[in-house]
Amino acid sequence: IYTIEDIVADPQYRAREMILRTRTAAGLDLEVPGIVPKLDRTPGTLRHPAPRLGQHTDEVLKSFGLADSEISALAD
């Protein structure tokens, strides 16, 4: 059974792009799991970095119908 250290060190995993390098919103380089499954016509890609913690919280809460005042109260 492979550990994550084994996976990251395995050249076959890297050759199959199962470990991808990306840059975070803060500008840090990060290795992340690759896209599964691998499809010929619609290959997966990393389109943008992961959001910062809480970056979309207001947007999600508003989609559930919460008002700005309710969101502020939750944040407090």
Short mmCIF file of all heavy atoms in Angstrom, two decimals:
data_model
loop_
_atom_site.label_atom_id
_atom_site.label_comp_id
_atom_site.label_asym_id
_atom_site.label_seq_id
_atom_site.Cartn_x
_atom_site.Cartn_y
_atom_site.Cartn_z
N ILE A 1 0.85 -1.17 0.00
CA ILE A 1 0.00 0.00 0.00
C ILE A 1 0.90 1.24 0.00
O ILE A 1 1.76 1.38 0.86
CB ILE A 1 -0.92 0.01 1.23
CG1 ILE A 1 -1.84 -1.21 1.18
CG2 ILE A 1 -1.70 1.31 1.28
CD1 ILE A 1 -2.69 -1.38 2.42
N TYR A 2 0.69 2.10 -0.99
CA TYR A 2 1.48 3.32 -1.11
C TYR A 2 1.06 4.36 -0.08
O TYR A 2 -0.13 4.57 0.15
CB TYR A 2 1.27 3.93 -2.50
CG TYR A 2 2.33 3.62 -3.52
CD1 TYR A 2 3.22 2.57 -3.36
CD2 TYR A 2 2.45 4.39 -4.66
CE1 TYR A 2 4.18 2.31 -4.31
CE2 TYR A 2 3.40 4.14 -5.62
CZ TYR A 2 4.27 3.09 -5.43
OH TYR A 2 5.22 2.84 -6.38
N THR A 3 2.04 5.03 0.47
CA THR A 3 1.77 6.22 1.27
C THR A 3 1.79 7.41 0.31
O THR A 3 2.21 7.28 -0.85
CB THR A 3 2.87 6.43 2.34
OG1 THR A 3 4.10 6.72 1.67
CG2 THR A 3 3.01 5.21 3.23
N ILE A 4 1.40 8.56 0.78
CA ILE A 4 1.46 9.75 -0.07
C ILE A 4 2.90 10.06 -0.45
O ILE A 4 3.18 10.51 -1.56
CB ILE A 4 0.75 10.96 0.58
CG1 ILE A 4 0.61 12.11 -0.43
CG2 ILE A 4 1.48 11.43 1.82
CD1 ILE A 4 -0.22 11.77 -1.64
N GLU A 5 3.85 9.77 0.44
CA GLU A 5 5.26 9.97 0.10
C GLU A 5 5.68 9.07 -1.05
O GLU A 5 6.41 9.50 -1.95
CB GLU A 5 6.14 9.69 1.32
CG GLU A 5 6.11 10.77 2.37
CD GLU A 5 7.02 10.43 3.53
OE1 GLU A 5 6.58 9.69 4.42
OE2 GLU A 5 8.17 10.92 3.52
N ASP A 6 5.20 7.81 -1.05
CA ASP A 6 5.50 6.89 -2.14
C ASP A 6 4.93 7.40 -3.46
O ASP A 6 5.58 7.35 -4.50
CB ASP A 6 4.91 5.50 -1.86
CG ASP A 6 5.52 4.82 -0.64
OD1 ASP A 6 6.70 5.06 -0.35
OD2 ASP A 6 4.78 4.04 0.00
N ILE A 7 3.70 7.87 -3.40
CA ILE A 7 3.02 8.36 -4.61
C ILE A 7 3.77 9.54 -5.20
O ILE A 7 4.04 9.60 -6.40
CB ILE A 7 1.56 8.73 -4.29
CG1 ILE A 7 0.76 7.45 -4.00
CG2 ILE A 7 0.93 9.54 -5.42
CD1 ILE A 7 -0.63 7.70 -3.45
N VAL A 8 4.12 10.52 -4.38
CA VAL A 8 4.80 11.72 -4.85
C VAL A 8 6.17 11.38 -5.43
O VAL A 8 6.62 12.02 -6.38
CB VAL A 8 4.90 12.76 -3.71
CG1 VAL A 8 5.79 13.92 -4.09
CG2 VAL A 8 3.52 13.25 -3.34
N ALA A 9 6.83 10.35 -4.89
CA ALA A 9 8.16 9.98 -5.36
C ALA A 9 8.14 9.07 -6.58
O ALA A 9 9.16 8.89 -7.24
CB ALA A 9 8.93 9.30 -4.23
N ASP A 10 7.00 8.50 -6.93
CA ASP A 10 6.91 7.52 -8.02
C ASP A 10 6.93 8.22 -9.39
O ASP A 10 6.04 9.01 -9.70
CB ASP A 10 5.62 6.72 -7.87
CG ASP A 10 5.52 5.57 -8.84
OD1 ASP A 10 5.88 5.74 -10.02
OD2 ASP A 10 5.06 4.49 -8.42
N PRO A 11 7.93 7.92 -10.22
CA PRO A 11 8.01 8.59 -11.52
C PRO A 11 6.83 8.27 -12.44
O PRO A 11 6.46 9.09 -13.29
CB PRO A 11 9.33 8.09 -12.12
CG PRO A 11 9.75 6.94 -11.29
CD PRO A 11 9.05 7.03 -9.97
N GLN A 12 6.23 7.10 -12.28
CA GLN A 12 5.07 6.75 -13.12
C GLN A 12 3.87 7.64 -12.79
O GLN A 12 3.14 8.07 -13.68
CB GLN A 12 4.71 5.28 -12.93
CG GLN A 12 3.56 4.81 -13.79
CD GLN A 12 3.87 4.86 -15.29
OE1 GLN A 12 5.01 4.88 -15.71
NE2 GLN A 12 2.84 4.90 -16.09
N TYR A 13 3.66 7.95 -11.52
CA TYR A 13 2.57 8.86 -11.13
C TYR A 13 2.79 10.23 -11.76
O TYR A 13 1.86 10.85 -12.27
CB TYR A 13 2.49 9.00 -9.61
CG TYR A 13 1.63 7.97 -8.94
CD1 TYR A 13 2.07 6.66 -8.80
CD2 TYR A 13 0.38 8.29 -8.44
CE1 TYR A 13 1.29 5.69 -8.18
CE2 TYR A 13 -0.42 7.34 -7.82
CZ TYR A 13 0.04 6.04 -7.69
OH TYR A 13 -0.73 5.11 -7.10
N ARG A 14 4.02 10.68 -11.73
CA ARG A 14 4.33 12.00 -12.32
C ARG A 14 4.16 11.97 -13.83
O ARG A 14 3.63 12.91 -14.42
CB ARG A 14 5.72 12.44 -11.93
CG ARG A 14 5.81 12.72 -10.44
CD ARG A 14 6.91 13.67 -10.11
NE ARG A 14 6.91 13.94 -8.69
CZ ARG A 14 6.33 15.00 -8.15
NH1 ARG A 14 5.72 15.89 -8.88
NH2 ARG A 14 6.39 15.19 -6.84
N ALA A 15 4.60 10.89 -14.48
CA ALA A 15 4.48 10.77 -15.93
C ALA A 15 3.01 10.78 -16.36
O ALA A 15 2.68 11.30 -17.42
CB ALA A 15 5.16 9.49 -16.42
N ARG A 16 2.13 10.23 -15.53
CA ARG A 16 0.69 10.21 -15.85
C ARG A 16 -0.03 11.45 -15.33
O ARG A 16 -1.24 11.53 -15.34
CB ARG A 16 0.05 8.95 -15.26
CG ARG A 16 0.53 7.69 -15.96
CD ARG A 16 -0.26 6.46 -15.61
NE ARG A 16 -1.70 6.63 -15.54
CZ ARG A 16 -2.53 6.71 -16.58
NH1 ARG A 16 -2.05 6.67 -17.79
NH2 ARG A 16 -3.82 6.83 -16.40
N GLU A 17 0.75 12.43 -14.86
CA GLU A 17 0.22 13.70 -14.33
C GLU A 17 -0.78 13.47 -13.19
O GLU A 17 -1.81 14.14 -13.10
CB GLU A 17 -0.40 14.53 -15.45
CG GLU A 17 0.61 14.97 -16.48
CD GLU A 17 0.01 15.84 -17.56
OE1 GLU A 17 -1.23 15.85 -17.75
OE2 GLU A 17 0.79 16.53 -18.22
N MET A 18 -0.44 12.52 -12.32
CA MET A 18 -1.27 12.28 -11.15
C MET A 18 -0.86 13.18 -9.98
O MET A 18 -1.53 13.24 -8.96
CB MET A 18 -1.20 10.80 -10.73
CG MET A 18 -1.75 9.88 -11.81
SD MET A 18 -3.37 10.38 -12.48
CE MET A 18 -4.38 10.43 -11.04
N ILE A 19 0.26 13.87 -10.15
CA ILE A 19 0.69 14.92 -9.22
C ILE A 19 0.92 16.15 -10.08
O ILE A 19 1.73 16.14 -11.00
CB ILE A 19 2.00 14.54 -8.48
CG1 ILE A 19 1.88 13.21 -7.75
CG2 ILE A 19 2.42 15.67 -7.55
CD1 ILE A 19 0.90 13.21 -6.60
N LEU A 20 0.17 17.21 -9.81
CA LEU A 20 0.28 18.44 -10.59
C LEU A 20 0.83 19.56 -9.72
O LEU A 20 0.61 19.58 -8.51
CB LEU A 20 -1.09 18.84 -11.14
CG LEU A 20 -1.76 17.85 -12.07
CD1 LEU A 20 -3.15 18.34 -12.44
CD2 LEU A 20 -0.92 17.62 -13.31
N ARG A 21 1.51 20.46 -10.36
CA ARG A 21 2.05 21.63 -9.66
C ARG A 21 1.16 22.82 -10.01
O ARG A 21 0.85 23.05 -11.16
CB ARG A 21 3.48 21.87 -10.12
CG ARG A 21 4.31 22.71 -9.20
CD ARG A 21 5.78 22.46 -9.54
NE ARG A 21 6.71 22.96 -8.58
CZ ARG A 21 6.82 22.59 -7.33
NH1 ARG A 21 6.01 21.71 -6.85
NH2 ARG A 21 7.73 23.11 -6.53
N THR A 22 0.77 23.56 -8.99
CA THR A 22 -0.05 24.75 -9.20
C THR A 22 0.44 25.85 -8.27
O THR A 22 1.33 25.63 -7.44
CB THR A 22 -1.55 24.42 -8.95
OG1 THR A 22 -2.34 25.55 -9.32
CG2 THR A 22 -1.82 24.07 -7.51
N ARG A 23 -0.11 27.01 -8.41
CA ARG A 23 0.25 28.15 -7.56
C ARG A 23 -1.01 28.57 -6.81
O ARG A 23 -2.08 28.69 -7.39
CB ARG A 23 0.77 29.29 -8.42
CG ARG A 23 1.34 30.45 -7.62
CD ARG A 23 2.05 31.43 -8.52
NE ARG A 23 3.25 30.83 -9.07
CZ ARG A 23 4.47 31.06 -8.58
NH1 ARG A 23 4.64 31.87 -7.59
NH2 ARG A 23 5.51 30.48 -9.13
N THR A 24 -0.88 28.80 -5.52
CA THR A 24 -2.02 29.22 -4.71
C THR A 24 -2.32 30.68 -4.96
O THR A 24 -1.52 31.40 -5.56
CB THR A 24 -1.74 29.02 -3.21
OG1 THR A 24 -0.72 29.94 -2.80
CG2 THR A 24 -1.32 27.60 -2.88
N ALA A 25 -3.48 31.12 -4.47
CA ALA A 25 -3.86 32.53 -4.60
C ALA A 25 -2.85 33.43 -3.90
O ALA A 25 -2.68 34.59 -4.27
CB ALA A 25 -5.25 32.75 -4.03
N ALA A 26 -2.15 32.88 -2.90
CA ALA A 26 -1.14 33.65 -2.18
C ALA A 26 0.22 33.62 -2.88
O ALA A 26 1.18 34.22 -2.41
CB ALA A 26 -1.00 33.10 -0.76
N GLY A 27 0.30 32.89 -4.03
CA GLY A 27 1.54 32.86 -4.80
C GLY A 27 2.50 31.76 -4.42
O GLY A 27 3.64 31.75 -4.88
N LEU A 28 2.07 30.79 -3.62
CA LEU A 28 2.95 29.68 -3.22
C LEU A 28 2.78 28.52 -4.18
O LEU A 28 1.67 28.22 -4.62
CB LEU A 28 2.60 29.23 -1.80
CG LEU A 28 2.68 30.29 -0.70
CD1 LEU A 28 2.11 29.75 0.60
CD2 LEU A 28 4.12 30.75 -0.52
N ASP A 29 3.89 27.84 -4.51
CA ASP A 29 3.82 26.64 -5.33
C ASP A 29 3.31 25.49 -4.47
O ASP A 29 3.67 25.36 -3.30
CB ASP A 29 5.20 26.28 -5.89
CG ASP A 29 5.61 27.21 -7.00
OD1 ASP A 29 4.73 27.75 -7.70
OD2 ASP A 29 6.83 27.41 -7.20
N LEU A 30 2.46 24.66 -5.08
CA LEU A 30 1.83 23.57 -4.35
C LEU A 30 1.64 22.39 -5.28
O LEU A 30 1.27 22.55 -6.44
CB LEU A 30 0.46 24.05 -3.83
CG LEU A 30 -0.36 23.08 -3.00
CD1 LEU A 30 0.32 22.81 -1.67
CD2 LEU A 30 -1.74 23.65 -2.78
N GLU A 31 1.93 21.18 -4.78
CA GLU A 31 1.65 19.97 -5.54
C GLU A 31 0.31 19.43 -5.08
O GLU A 31 0.04 19.32 -3.88
CB GLU A 31 2.76 18.94 -5.33
CG GLU A 31 4.05 19.37 -6.00
CD GLU A 31 5.12 18.29 -5.98
OE1 GLU A 31 5.18 17.52 -5.01
OE2 GLU A 31 5.89 18.24 -6.95
N VAL A 32 -0.54 19.09 -6.05
CA VAL A 32 -1.89 18.63 -5.77
C VAL A 32 -2.18 17.36 -6.55
O VAL A 32 -1.49 17.06 -7.53
CB VAL A 32 -2.94 19.72 -6.13
CG1 VAL A 32 -2.73 20.97 -5.29
CG2 VAL A 32 -2.89 20.04 -7.60
N PRO A 33 -3.20 16.59 -6.14
CA PRO A 33 -3.57 15.39 -6.91
C PRO A 33 -4.00 15.77 -8.32
O PRO A 33 -4.61 16.81 -8.55
CB PRO A 33 -4.75 14.82 -6.12
CG PRO A 33 -4.63 15.39 -4.75
CD PRO A 33 -4.01 16.74 -4.92
N GLY A 34 -3.68 14.91 -9.27
CA GLY A 34 -4.06 15.12 -10.66
C GLY A 34 -5.54 14.83 -10.90
O GLY A 34 -6.26 14.41 -10.00
N ILE A 35 -5.97 15.07 -12.12
CA ILE A 35 -7.37 14.90 -12.51
C ILE A 35 -7.61 13.44 -12.89
O ILE A 35 -6.87 12.86 -13.68
CB ILE A 35 -7.70 15.80 -13.72
CG1 ILE A 35 -7.28 17.25 -13.47
CG2 ILE A 35 -9.17 15.69 -14.09
CD1 ILE A 35 -7.94 17.93 -12.32
N VAL A 36 -8.65 12.86 -12.32
CA VAL A 36 -9.04 11.47 -12.61
C VAL A 36 -10.51 11.48 -12.96
O VAL A 36 -11.29 12.15 -12.30
CB VAL A 36 -8.79 10.57 -11.38
CG1 VAL A 36 -9.25 9.15 -11.64
CG2 VAL A 36 -7.33 10.60 -10.96
N PRO A 37 -10.96 10.76 -13.95
CA PRO A 37 -10.19 9.93 -14.88
C PRO A 37 -9.58 10.76 -16.00
O PRO A 37 -9.93 11.92 -16.19
CB PRO A 37 -11.26 8.98 -15.45
CG PRO A 37 -12.50 9.80 -15.46
CD PRO A 37 -12.40 10.69 -14.23
N LYS A 38 -8.68 10.14 -16.74
CA LYS A 38 -8.06 10.77 -17.90
C LYS A 38 -8.93 10.48 -19.12
O LYS A 38 -9.06 9.33 -19.52
CB LYS A 38 -6.65 10.21 -18.14
CG LYS A 38 -5.72 10.34 -16.97
CD LYS A 38 -5.24 11.74 -16.85
CE LYS A 38 -4.20 11.85 -15.74
NZ LYS A 38 -4.02 13.19 -15.32
N LEU A 39 -9.53 11.50 -19.70
CA LEU A 39 -10.41 11.33 -20.85
C LEU A 39 -9.80 11.98 -22.08
O LEU A 39 -9.27 13.09 -22.00
CB LEU A 39 -11.78 11.95 -20.55
CG LEU A 39 -12.50 11.41 -19.31
CD1 LEU A 39 -13.77 12.20 -19.05
CD2 LEU A 39 -12.80 9.93 -19.46
N ASP A 40 -9.88 11.30 -23.22
CA ASP A 40 -9.27 11.82 -24.46
C ASP A 40 -9.91 13.11 -24.94
O ASP A 40 -9.22 14.07 -25.26
CB ASP A 40 -9.38 10.78 -25.58
CG ASP A 40 -8.45 9.60 -25.36
OD1 ASP A 40 -7.44 9.76 -24.66
OD2 ASP A 40 -8.74 8.52 -25.91
N ARG A 41 -11.22 13.14 -25.01
CA ARG A 41 -11.90 14.31 -25.59
C ARG A 41 -12.08 15.46 -24.62
O ARG A 41 -12.19 16.61 -25.02
CB ARG A 41 -13.27 13.90 -26.13
CG ARG A 41 -13.17 13.07 -27.37
CD ARG A 41 -14.51 12.97 -28.03
NE ARG A 41 -14.70 11.63 -28.56
CZ ARG A 41 -15.84 11.10 -28.86
NH1 ARG A 41 -16.95 11.77 -28.69
NH2 ARG A 41 -15.91 9.89 -29.34
N THR A 42 -12.17 15.15 -23.36
CA THR A 42 -12.39 16.20 -22.36
C THR A 42 -11.42 16.03 -21.19
O THR A 42 -11.82 15.70 -20.07
CB THR A 42 -13.84 16.17 -21.84
OG1 THR A 42 -14.12 14.86 -21.33
CG2 THR A 42 -14.83 16.54 -22.93
N PRO A 43 -10.14 16.25 -21.44
CA PRO A 43 -9.17 16.08 -20.35
C PRO A 43 -9.38 17.15 -19.27
O PRO A 43 -9.70 18.29 -19.59
CB PRO A 43 -7.82 16.26 -21.05
CG PRO A 43 -8.12 17.09 -22.24
CD PRO A 43 -9.52 16.72 -22.67
N GLY A 44 -9.23 16.75 -18.07
CA GLY A 44 -9.38 17.71 -16.97
C GLY A 44 -8.17 18.60 -16.86
O GLY A 44 -7.06 18.22 -17.22
N THR A 45 -8.38 19.81 -16.38
CA THR A 45 -7.28 20.75 -16.16
C THR A 45 -7.53 21.51 -14.87
O THR A 45 -8.67 21.62 -14.41
CB THR A 45 -7.15 21.77 -17.30
OG1 THR A 45 -8.37 22.52 -17.38
CG2 THR A 45 -6.87 21.11 -18.63
N LEU A 46 -6.48 22.03 -14.31
CA LEU A 46 -6.61 22.95 -13.18
C LEU A 46 -6.77 24.33 -13.79
O LEU A 46 -5.85 24.86 -14.40
CB LEU A 46 -5.36 22.91 -12.29
CG LEU A 46 -5.10 21.61 -11.56
CD1 LEU A 46 -3.79 21.70 -10.78
CD2 LEU A 46 -6.25 21.25 -10.64
N ARG A 47 -7.94 24.91 -13.65
CA ARG A 47 -8.22 26.19 -14.30
C ARG A 47 -7.75 27.39 -13.49
O ARG A 47 -7.35 28.40 -14.02
CB ARG A 47 -9.70 26.32 -14.58
CG ARG A 47 -10.15 25.32 -15.60
CD ARG A 47 -11.60 25.49 -15.92
NE ARG A 47 -12.11 24.16 -16.22
CZ ARG A 47 -13.34 23.78 -16.08
NH1 ARG A 47 -14.24 24.62 -15.64
NH2 ARG A 47 -13.70 22.57 -16.38
N HIS A 48 -7.85 27.29 -12.19
CA HIS A 48 -7.41 28.38 -11.33
C HIS A 48 -7.07 27.81 -9.97
O HIS A 48 -7.50 26.72 -9.62
CB HIS A 48 -8.44 29.52 -11.22
CG HIS A 48 -9.85 29.10 -11.39
ND1 HIS A 48 -10.70 28.85 -10.36
CD2 HIS A 48 -10.58 28.88 -12.52
CE1 HIS A 48 -11.88 28.50 -10.83
NE2 HIS A 48 -11.82 28.50 -12.12
N PRO A 49 -6.33 28.56 -9.19
CA PRO A 49 -5.91 28.05 -7.88
C PRO A 49 -7.10 27.92 -6.92
O PRO A 49 -8.16 28.52 -7.13
CB PRO A 49 -4.92 29.09 -7.38
CG PRO A 49 -5.26 30.33 -8.12
CD PRO A 49 -5.81 29.89 -9.45
N ALA A 50 -6.90 27.14 -5.91
CA ALA A 50 -7.93 27.01 -4.87
C ALA A 50 -8.19 28.37 -4.24
O ALA A 50 -7.28 29.20 -4.13
CB ALA A 50 -7.47 26.03 -3.81
N PRO A 51 -9.42 28.63 -3.82
CA PRO A 51 -9.71 29.92 -3.19
C PRO A 51 -9.07 30.01 -1.81
O PRO A 51 -8.74 29.00 -1.19
CB PRO A 51 -11.24 29.93 -3.08
CG PRO A 51 -11.62 28.49 -3.06
CD PRO A 51 -10.60 27.78 -3.90
N ARG A 52 -8.89 31.21 -1.36
CA ARG A 52 -8.41 31.41 0.01
C ARG A 52 -9.51 30.99 0.97
O ARG A 52 -10.69 31.02 0.63
CB ARG A 52 -8.06 32.88 0.24
CG ARG A 52 -6.87 33.30 -0.55
CD ARG A 52 -6.54 34.76 -0.30
NE ARG A 52 -5.48 35.14 -1.20
CZ ARG A 52 -4.49 35.93 -0.87
NH1 ARG A 52 -4.44 36.46 0.32
NH2 ARG A 52 -3.55 36.21 -1.74
N LEU A 53 -9.13 30.59 2.16
CA LEU A 53 -10.10 30.16 3.16
C LEU A 53 -11.12 31.27 3.39
O LEU A 53 -10.77 32.41 3.68
CB LEU A 53 -9.38 29.84 4.47
CG LEU A 53 -10.24 29.28 5.58
CD1 LEU A 53 -10.90 27.96 5.16
CD2 LEU A 53 -9.42 29.07 6.84
N GLY A 54 -12.39 30.94 3.16
CA GLY A 54 -13.47 31.89 3.36
C GLY A 54 -13.73 32.83 2.19
O GLY A 54 -14.63 33.66 2.26
N GLN A 55 -12.99 32.69 1.11
CA GLN A 55 -13.11 33.61 -0.01
C GLN A 55 -14.53 33.68 -0.59
O GLN A 55 -14.98 34.74 -0.99
CB GLN A 55 -12.13 33.21 -1.11
CG GLN A 55 -12.13 34.13 -2.32
CD GLN A 55 -11.08 33.75 -3.35
OE1 GLN A 55 -10.10 33.09 -3.03
NE2 GLN A 55 -11.29 34.16 -4.58
N HIS A 56 -15.24 32.56 -0.60
CA HIS A 56 -16.58 32.53 -1.20
C HIS A 56 -17.69 32.39 -0.17
O HIS A 56 -18.84 32.14 -0.55
CB HIS A 56 -16.66 31.38 -2.21
CG HIS A 56 -15.71 31.54 -3.35
ND1 HIS A 56 -14.68 30.66 -3.57
CD2 HIS A 56 -15.61 32.49 -4.30
CE1 HIS A 56 -14.00 31.06 -4.63
NE2 HIS A 56 -14.54 32.18 -5.09
N THR A 57 -17.37 32.54 1.09
CA THR A 57 -18.37 32.33 2.14
C THR A 57 -19.58 33.23 1.96
O THR A 57 -20.73 32.76 2.00
CB THR A 57 -17.75 32.54 3.54
OG1 THR A 57 -16.67 31.61 3.69
CG2 THR A 57 -18.77 32.33 4.64
N ASP A 58 -19.36 34.53 1.78
CA ASP A 58 -20.49 35.46 1.62
C ASP A 58 -21.36 35.07 0.42
O ASP A 58 -22.59 35.06 0.50
CB ASP A 58 -20.01 36.90 1.45
CG ASP A 58 -19.46 37.48 2.74
OD1 ASP A 58 -19.47 36.78 3.78
OD2 ASP A 58 -19.01 38.64 2.70
N GLU A 59 -20.73 34.73 -0.68
CA GLU A 59 -21.46 34.35 -1.89
C GLU A 59 -22.33 33.11 -1.64
O GLU A 59 -23.49 33.06 -2.05
CB GLU A 59 -20.44 34.06 -3.00
CG GLU A 59 -21.03 33.65 -4.31
CD GLU A 59 -19.93 33.34 -5.34
OE1 GLU A 59 -18.79 33.81 -5.19
OE2 GLU A 59 -20.26 32.61 -6.28
N VAL A 60 -21.78 32.12 -0.95
CA VAL A 60 -22.53 30.91 -0.66
C VAL A 60 -23.69 31.20 0.29
O VAL A 60 -24.83 30.76 0.07
CB VAL A 60 -21.61 29.81 -0.07
CG1 VAL A 60 -22.41 28.63 0.45
CG2 VAL A 60 -20.59 29.36 -1.10
N LEU A 61 -23.42 31.97 1.33
CA LEU A 61 -24.49 32.29 2.29
C LEU A 61 -25.61 33.09 1.62
O LEU A 61 -26.78 32.87 1.90
CB LEU A 61 -23.91 33.03 3.50
CG LEU A 61 -22.99 32.19 4.38
CD1 LEU A 61 -22.36 33.04 5.47
CD2 LEU A 61 -23.71 30.99 4.97
N LYS A 62 -25.24 34.02 0.75
CA LYS A 62 -26.26 34.79 0.02
C LYS A 62 -27.10 33.88 -0.88
O LYS A 62 -28.30 34.10 -1.04
CB LYS A 62 -25.61 35.91 -0.79
CG LYS A 62 -25.13 37.06 0.07
CD LYS A 62 -24.44 38.13 -0.76
CE LYS A 62 -23.89 39.21 0.15
NZ LYS A 62 -23.21 40.28 -0.58
N SER A 63 -26.47 32.85 -1.46
CA SER A 63 -27.21 31.93 -2.33
C SER A 63 -28.26 31.14 -1.54
O SER A 63 -29.22 30.64 -2.11
CB SER A 63 -26.26 30.97 -3.05
OG SER A 63 -25.78 29.96 -2.19
N PHE A 64 -28.07 31.05 -0.21
CA PHE A 64 -29.05 30.40 0.65
C PHE A 64 -30.08 31.38 1.19
O PHE A 64 -30.92 31.02 2.01
CB PHE A 64 -28.36 29.67 1.81
CG PHE A 64 -27.68 28.40 1.39
CD1 PHE A 64 -26.30 28.33 1.36
CD2 PHE A 64 -28.42 27.29 1.01
CE1 PHE A 64 -25.66 27.16 0.98
CE2 PHE A 64 -27.79 26.12 0.62
CZ PHE A 64 -26.41 26.06 0.60
N GLY A 65 -29.98 32.64 0.76
CA GLY A 65 -30.98 33.63 1.12
C GLY A 65 -30.65 34.48 2.33
O GLY A 65 -31.51 35.24 2.79
N LEU A 66 -29.45 34.40 2.86
CA LEU A 66 -29.10 35.22 4.00
C LEU A 66 -28.83 36.66 3.56
O LEU A 66 -28.24 36.90 2.52
CB LEU A 66 -27.86 34.68 4.71
CG LEU A 66 -28.12 33.59 5.76
CD1 LEU A 66 -28.54 32.30 5.11
CD2 LEU A 66 -26.92 33.42 6.63
N ALA A 67 -29.28 37.60 4.38
CA ALA A 67 -29.06 39.02 4.12
C ALA A 67 -27.65 39.41 4.61
O ALA A 67 -27.05 38.71 5.44
CB ALA A 67 -30.10 39.86 4.84
N ASP A 68 -27.16 40.54 4.11
CA ASP A 68 -25.84 41.03 4.53
C ASP A 68 -25.76 41.17 6.04
O ASP A 68 -24.74 40.84 6.65
CB ASP A 68 -25.52 42.37 3.86
CG ASP A 68 -25.21 42.22 2.37
OD1 ASP A 68 -24.80 41.11 1.94
OD2 ASP A 68 -25.41 43.21 1.64
N SER A 69 -26.83 41.66 6.67
CA SER A 69 -26.81 41.85 8.13
C SER A 69 -26.70 40.51 8.85
O SER A 69 -26.02 40.40 9.88
CB SER A 69 -28.08 42.59 8.59
OG SER A 69 -29.24 41.86 8.21
N GLU A 70 -27.34 39.46 8.31
CA GLU A 70 -27.25 38.14 8.92
C GLU A 70 -25.84 37.56 8.77
O GLU A 70 -25.31 36.95 9.70
CB GLU A 70 -28.26 37.18 8.28
CG GLU A 70 -29.72 37.55 8.58
CD GLU A 70 -30.69 36.72 7.78
OE1 GLU A 70 -30.62 36.76 6.52
OE2 GLU A 70 -31.51 36.04 8.41
N ILE A 71 -25.23 37.79 7.61
CA ILE A 71 -23.88 37.32 7.38
C ILE A 71 -22.90 38.02 8.31
O ILE A 71 -22.02 37.39 8.89
CB ILE A 71 -23.49 37.48 5.90
CG1 ILE A 71 -24.37 36.59 5.03
CG2 ILE A 71 -22.01 37.19 5.67
CD1 ILE A 71 -24.25 36.82 3.53
N SER A 72 -23.08 39.32 8.49
CA SER A 72 -22.23 40.07 9.42
C SER A 72 -22.38 39.55 10.85
O SER A 72 -21.39 39.42 11.59
CB SER A 72 -22.57 41.57 9.38
OG SER A 72 -22.20 42.10 8.14
N ALA A 73 -23.61 39.26 11.24
CA ALA A 73 -23.85 38.73 12.59
C ALA A 73 -23.16 37.37 12.77
O ALA A 73 -22.59 37.11 13.83
CB ALA A 73 -25.35 38.61 12.85
N LEU A 74 -23.19 36.55 11.76
CA LEU A 74 -22.50 35.25 11.83
C LEU A 74 -20.99 35.45 11.94
O LEU A 74 -20.32 34.74 12.68
CB LEU A 74 -22.82 34.40 10.60
CG LEU A 74 -24.23 33.84 10.53
CD1 LEU A 74 -24.47 33.19 9.16
CD2 LEU A 74 -24.46 32.82 11.64
N ALA A 75 -20.46 36.41 11.19
CA ALA A 75 -19.02 36.66 11.23
C ALA A 75 -18.58 37.16 12.60
O ALA A 75 -17.48 36.84 13.06
CB ALA A 75 -18.63 37.66 10.15
N ASP A 76 -19.45 37.96 13.23
CA ASP A 76 -19.11 38.48 14.56
C ASP A 76 -19.14 37.37 15.58
O ASP A 76 -18.37 37.30 16.49
CB ASP A 76 -20.11 39.57 14.98
CG ASP A 76 -19.94 40.83 14.14
OD1 ASP A 76 -18.86 41.01 13.54
OD2 ASP A 76 -20.90 41.64 14.11
#
